[in-house]
Amino acid sequence: MDRIVIRGGNRLVGTIPISGAKNAALPLLIASLLTTDTLTLRNLPRLADVNQLVRILGNHGVEYTIAGKRPGESVDAGQTVRLDAAHVIDTTAPYELVSKMRASFWVIAPLLARMGEARVSLPGGCAIGTRPVDLLLMALERLGASISIDGGYVVAKAPQGLRGAEIEFPKVTVGGTHVALMAASLAHGTTVIRNAAREPEIADLAECLVKMGARISGAGTDVVEIQGVARLGGASHVVLPDRIEAGTYAAAAAMTGGDVLLEGAKPEALGAALDALRAAGATVTVEELGLRVRRDGGEIAPVDVTTAPFPGFATDLQAQFMALMTRAKGRSRITETIFENRFMHVQELARLGARIRLDGDTAVVEGVDKLDGAPVMATDLRASVSLVIAALAARGETTVNRVYHLDRGFERLEAKLCACGADVQRLAA
Ligand code: EPZ
């Protein structure tokens, strides 16, 4: 298994191009199952999760071509993928695939809406806690599907097609909203989703569905209305920039007292994270090409944050912000409200000298004057990258093991950091 070795202490200075968003790319790829025509997706990040999902779609009969690099194109240009789901050959998504990537469960929506049936494995446990799918199934039932569980599989049926309905989520769910949007697009009649997730990735999926012929209004707000259509067609769509990648490098720039232009980053997509970074002492300015984040000489101020659905502080940035807080001048409290077990980075940050105490759903971080390099590992991609951020400011050498977690969600991580002066090296197993 590859490792990454980081020698800390260098300021990050330079430009980091932000890739297409993983969490937008995944539902967009799945949306290809909704049509017999070609869906072209541009600016897809080169990530293990994207490749894995493309393979999963191949299992259902989706044919795809990934365009090679054009002459003169930058190494940072995203990929273009053409997906053609004219012939769906299998409506079953097996355990071996769904258990590796939870988002692949979402294929249930287009398969059910277009083919009238789907048999999709329950995803099972996950490193960041129990992640049930009850609300996704509730949404499909509201749309008229019959749902049963058979041998670890969800069997969803709607032989006469789905019909529009009122869906009110008791809790904000990104996956639930994606599933409801895709399924309702091909249902008979009108669907209203209440308490919908407002994440930018939802609006991006809706924008693509509209290009495919869906009739959707209100995506990006908490009430979304969908008038179902009989069929959807092909489209071409550019994946939006990754706000979590941008927030991660913003935290790294602040951590190292650096000055980094996050090329392509959109300030409005970062929600409360930008306020938290500013409160911690970073200067964030919106420039023509993106967002500039820098921290001059001064200390890192302690800032309390509580994760919340968008536009609140993203749970996917919690670990990275905690890494920053390990060097703050004073005590900060970081409360995780979305997932109940998303603190695995705490013990690993402690190996670098961080002082963090867990108090239920809150991590109490006492800032320290210095961190020291050590071998560390993590169990999910955001936790792994928080260790990279801490290592960039630690004295000496840190080895981050299990790099495959990083490869799931961060494109060319070490190249992007090295281009800004970091000392990061990947060692093959
Ligand atoms: C998406 O997961 C993201 N994944 C996650 O990013 C992200 O952390 C999460 O949204 C929250 O922002 C993708 O977009 C591929 P949810 P999702 O449904 O859709 C509970 C990363 O690191 N819930 O919004 O699975 C659930 O347990 C990943 O890139 C139910 O109770 O998250 C959680 O507490 C990790 N029942 C809350 O809702 C359900 O049926 C929000 O989960 C569904 C969810």
Side-chain angles (χ1 to χ4, degrees):
M1 264 181 265
D2 288 5
R3 290 164 291 154
I4 282 186
V5 178
I6 299 164
R7 284 173 208 86
N10 297 358
R11 293 175 66 223
L12 285 186
V13 179
T15 298
I16 298 186
I18 299 304
S19 299
K22 170 182 82 85
N23 288 349
L26 301 180
L28 287 166
L29 287 165
I30 289 173
S32 67
L33 282 168
L34 285 165
T35 175
T36 52
D37 296 343
T38 303
L39 178 64
T40 303
L41 297 175
R42 300 179 200 280
N43 197 33
L44 270 189
R46 291 177 175 77
L47 296 173
D49 270 12
V50 166
N51 298 340
Q52 166 86 355
L53 182 57
V54 168
R55 276 197 296 275
I56 291 175
L57 293 174
N59 243 29
H60 294 293
V62 179
E63 291 187 359
Y64 55 88
T65 52
I66 302 182
K69 239 182 228 323
R70 283 188 290 272
E73 207 169 61
S74 137
V75 285
D76 296 304
Q79 317 177 86
T80 297
V81 179
R82 291 187 177 74
L83 302 125
D84 178 346
H87 305 289
V88 172
I89 54 172
D90 197 345
T91 53
T92 295
Y95 177 71
E96 305 76 69
L97 297 178
V98 181
S99 59
K100 282 202 194 106
M101 195 202 317
R102 296 186 53 85
S104 60
F105 184 82
W106 303 342
V107 298
I108 195 168
L111 289 175
L112 177 66
R114 191 178 131 201
M115 311 303 293
E117 59 167 44
R119 191 167 167 271
V120 180
S121 168
L122 283 163
C126 143
I128 62 175
T130 51
R131 292 174 69 187
V133 291
D134 56 322
L135 300 177
L136 283 65
L137 301 184
M138 176 278 280
L140 296 175
E141 274 180 328
R142 294 285 308 148
L143 294 171
S146 77
I147 305 274
S148 57
I149 308 290
D150 175 27
Y153 280 73
V154 175
V155 181
K157 289 192 176 147
Q160 311 304 323
L162 297 170
R163 47 181 161 67
E166 286 258 335
I167 300 170
E168 176 147 12
F169 286 113
K171 183 176 189 177
V172 177
T173 155
V174 172
T177 308
H178 282 317
V179 157
L181 265 177
M182 286 190 267
S185 292
L186 282 183
H188 305 284
T190 302
T191 297
V192 179
I193 309 174
R194 298 191 191 282
N195 201 24
R198 291 181 282 164
E199 271 66 4
E201 293 75 22
I202 300 285
D204 203 42
L205 172 65
E207 197 183 308
C208 179
L209 293 172
V210 166
K211 288 180 195 160
M212 293 165 74
R215 296 173 65 194
I216 301 172
S217 61
T221 75
D222 60 355
V223 181
V224 184
E225 191 174 306
I226 305 121
Q227 279 160 31
V229 295
R231 69 175 296 276
L232 294 170
S236 174
H237 185 76
V238 181
V239 180
L240 91 174
D242 196 320
R243 65 195 167 98
I244 304 301
E245 189 195 25
T248 299
Y249 290 124
M255 183 68 157
T256 61
D259 183 349
V260 174
L261 175 66
L262 305 167
E263 206 174 33
K266 299 260 181 284
E268 62 280 6
L270 275 145
L274 283 192
D275 300 333
L277 283 164
R278 286 193 174 110
T283 307
V284 184
T285 44
V286 182
E287 299 191 356
E288 201 187 325
L289 293 179
L291 268 184
R292 180 174 296 280
V293 179
R294 65 168 210 275
R295 186 173 64 81
D296 306 319
E299 278 159 350
I300 300 171
V303 182
D304 295 345
V305 297
T306 299
T307 62
F310 191 83
F313 191 95
T315 174
D316 289 349
L317 285 172
Q318 179 256 106
Q320 298 90 314
F321 197 74
M322 192 183 300
L324 178 63
M325 288 297 103
T326 62
R327 291 292 317 280
K329 196 76 187 163
R331 173 185 300 170
S332 57
R333 296 171 63 82
I334 298 180
T335 303
E336 173 58 58
T337 69
I338 307 292
F339 294 110
E340 84 277 15
N341 184 26
R342 209 175 192 184
F343 280 138
M344 289 86 51
H345 40 287
V346 166
Q347 290 311 316
E348 297 300 304
L349 287 169
R351 292 177 52 75
L352 300 174
R355 285 179 55 204
I356 307 170
R357 178 170 54 80
L358 283 182
D359 179 7
D361 62 0
T362 298
V364 182
V365 187
E366 305 284 350
V368 292
D369 289 339
K370 63 174 181 60
L371 298 172
D372 285 303
V376 288
M377 70 165 112
T379 41
D380 83 86
L381 77 147
R382 311 305 178 191
S384 296
V385 88
S386 79
L387 301 173
V388 172
I389 293 173
L392 289 172
R395 299 189 313 184
E397 192 173 289
T398 297
T399 306
V400 182
N401 293 294
R402 299 196 181 168
V403 168
Y404 61 85
H405 287 300
L406 290 170
D407 294 337
R408 291 188 63 175
F410 290 93
E411 184 176 355
R412 301 178 63 250
L413 174 95
E414 59 277 26
K416 289 185 182 186
L417 289 172
C418 287
C420 290
D423 185 345
V424 183
Q425 205 186 350
R426 178 184 289 248
L427 299 181

